[in-house]
mmCIF file of all heavy atoms in Angstrom:
data_model
loop_
_atom_site.group_PDB
_atom_site.id
_atom_site.type_symbol
_atom_site.label_atom_id
_atom_site.label_comp_id
_atom_site.label_asym_id
_atom_site.label_seq_id
_atom_site.Cartn_x
_atom_site.Cartn_y
_atom_site.Cartn_z
ATOM 1 N N SER D 57 102.430 81.583 160.008
ATOM 2 C CA SER D 57 103.441 82.677 160.118
ATOM 3 C C SER D 57 102.911 84.080 160.412
ATOM 4 O O SER D 57 103.535 85.043 160.644
ATOM 5 C CB SER D 57 104.272 82.695 158.868
ATOM 6 O OG SER D 57 103.371 82.975 157.797
ATOM 7 N N ASN D 58 101.533 84.257 160.349
ATOM 8 C CA ASN D 58 100.932 85.507 160.520
ATOM 9 C C ASN D 58 100.850 86.044 161.947
ATOM 10 O O ASN D 58 99.845 85.925 162.600
ATOM 11 C CB ASN D 58 99.499 85.458 159.901
ATOM 12 C CG ASN D 58 98.856 86.855 159.837
ATOM 13 O OD1 ASN D 58 99.389 87.785 160.366
ATOM 14 N ND2 ASN D 58 97.715 86.878 159.093
ATOM 15 N N LYS D 83 109.694 83.485 168.055
ATOM 16 C CA LYS D 83 110.527 84.338 168.997
ATOM 17 C C LYS D 83 110.094 85.734 168.953
ATOM 18 O O LYS D 83 110.055 86.421 169.976
ATOM 19 C CB LYS D 83 111.955 84.239 168.491
ATOM 20 C CG LYS D 83 112.804 83.126 169.211
ATOM 21 C CD LYS D 83 114.267 83.351 168.977
ATOM 22 C CE LYS D 83 114.982 82.070 169.486
ATOM 23 N NZ LYS D 83 116.082 81.667 168.604
ATOM 24 N N HIS D 151 92.327 55.974 157.165
ATOM 25 C CA HIS D 151 92.455 54.531 157.578
ATOM 26 C C HIS D 151 93.094 54.398 158.996
ATOM 27 O O HIS D 151 93.012 53.405 159.678
ATOM 28 C CB HIS D 151 93.174 53.663 156.592
ATOM 29 C CG HIS D 151 94.644 54.172 156.402
ATOM 30 N ND1 HIS D 151 94.926 55.318 155.739
ATOM 31 C CD2 HIS D 151 95.830 53.595 156.737
ATOM 32 C CE1 HIS D 151 96.283 55.474 155.721
ATOM 33 N NE2 HIS D 151 96.783 54.457 156.351
ATOM 34 N N VAL D 167 83.336 69.805 159.702
ATOM 35 C CA VAL D 167 83.133 71.213 159.529
ATOM 36 C C VAL D 167 82.947 71.610 158.074
ATOM 37 O O VAL D 167 82.222 72.539 157.794
ATOM 38 C CB VAL D 167 84.354 71.988 160.168
ATOM 39 C CG1 VAL D 167 84.316 73.472 159.835
ATOM 40 C CG2 VAL D 167 84.374 71.796 161.724
ATOM 41 N N GLU D 170 79.673 70.463 153.162
ATOM 42 C CA GLU D 170 78.954 69.394 152.624
ATOM 43 C C GLU D 170 78.808 68.221 153.592
ATOM 44 O O GLU D 170 77.769 67.603 153.732
ATOM 45 C CB GLU D 170 79.650 68.820 151.353
ATOM 46 C CG GLU D 170 79.767 69.792 150.201
ATOM 47 C CD GLU D 170 80.764 70.887 150.336
ATOM 48 O OE1 GLU D 170 81.507 70.892 151.390
ATOM 49 O OE2 GLU D 170 80.856 71.788 149.488
ATOM 50 N N ALA D 173 76.438 69.006 156.252
ATOM 51 C CA ALA D 173 75.089 68.905 155.756
ATOM 52 C C ALA D 173 74.663 67.362 155.825
ATOM 53 O O ALA D 173 73.563 67.012 156.243
ATOM 54 C CB ALA D 173 74.984 69.398 154.273
ATOM 55 N N LYS D 216 88.693 83.628 142.030
ATOM 56 C CA LYS D 216 87.378 84.188 142.225
ATOM 57 C C LYS D 216 86.302 83.100 142.365
ATOM 58 O O LYS D 216 85.864 82.537 141.347
ATOM 59 C CB LYS D 216 87.068 85.058 141.046
ATOM 60 C CG LYS D 216 87.816 86.419 141.002
ATOM 61 C CD LYS D 216 87.250 87.290 139.822
ATOM 62 C CE LYS D 216 88.328 88.245 139.397
ATOM 63 N NZ LYS D 216 88.733 88.060 137.962
ATOM 64 N N HIS D 217 85.929 82.773 143.564
ATOM 65 C CA HIS D 217 84.866 81.830 143.718
ATOM 66 C C HIS D 217 83.482 82.474 143.598
ATOM 67 O O HIS D 217 83.309 83.533 144.238
ATOM 68 C CB HIS D 217 85.006 81.046 144.970
ATOM 69 C CG HIS D 217 84.115 79.813 145.051
ATOM 70 N ND1 HIS D 217 82.774 79.817 145.323
ATOM 71 C CD2 HIS D 217 84.470 78.483 144.800
ATOM 72 C CE1 HIS D 217 82.327 78.639 145.245
ATOM 73 N NE2 HIS D 217 83.321 77.804 144.865
ATOM 74 N N GLU D 239 86.828 65.898 148.832
ATOM 75 C CA GLU D 239 85.568 65.678 149.628
ATOM 76 C C GLU D 239 84.884 64.339 149.451
ATOM 77 O O GLU D 239 84.248 63.849 150.392
ATOM 78 C CB GLU D 239 84.590 66.851 149.380
ATOM 79 C CG GLU D 239 85.077 68.166 149.932
ATOM 80 C CD GLU D 239 84.153 69.324 149.754
ATOM 81 O OE1 GLU D 239 83.001 69.117 149.116
ATOM 82 O OE2 GLU D 239 84.411 70.425 150.177
ATOM 83 N N PRO D 340 95.791 58.106 147.691
ATOM 84 C CA PRO D 340 95.134 59.377 148.037
ATOM 85 C C PRO D 340 96.201 60.357 148.567
ATOM 86 O O PRO D 340 96.021 61.616 148.275
ATOM 87 C CB PRO D 340 94.120 58.966 149.195
ATOM 88 C CG PRO D 340 93.763 57.613 148.854
ATOM 89 C CD PRO D 340 95.028 56.900 148.401
ATOM 90 N N GLU D 363 98.090 72.049 134.002
ATOM 91 C CA GLU D 363 99.233 71.258 134.546
ATOM 92 C C GLU D 363 98.935 70.800 136.000
ATOM 93 O O GLU D 363 99.562 69.906 136.528
ATOM 94 C CB GLU D 363 100.562 71.952 134.473
ATOM 95 C CG GLU D 363 101.170 71.869 133.003
ATOM 96 C CD GLU D 363 102.444 72.598 132.913
ATOM 97 O OE1 GLU D 363 102.361 73.825 132.935
ATOM 98 O OE2 GLU D 363 103.517 71.975 132.799
ATOM 99 N N VAL D 383 101.886 56.562 159.448
ATOM 100 C CA VAL D 383 102.046 57.991 159.335
ATOM 101 C C VAL D 383 103.406 58.357 158.669
ATOM 102 O O VAL D 383 103.521 59.145 157.710
ATOM 103 C CB VAL D 383 102.042 58.740 160.689
ATOM 104 C CG1 VAL D 383 102.346 60.217 160.514
ATOM 105 C CG2 VAL D 383 100.649 58.576 161.273
#
Side-chain angles (χ1 to χ4, degrees):
S57 59
N58 187 350
K83 267 195 191 138
H151 61 291
V167 170
E170 295 77 2
K216 286 186 207 123
H217 194 281
E239 290 184 356
E363 279 177 291
V383 175

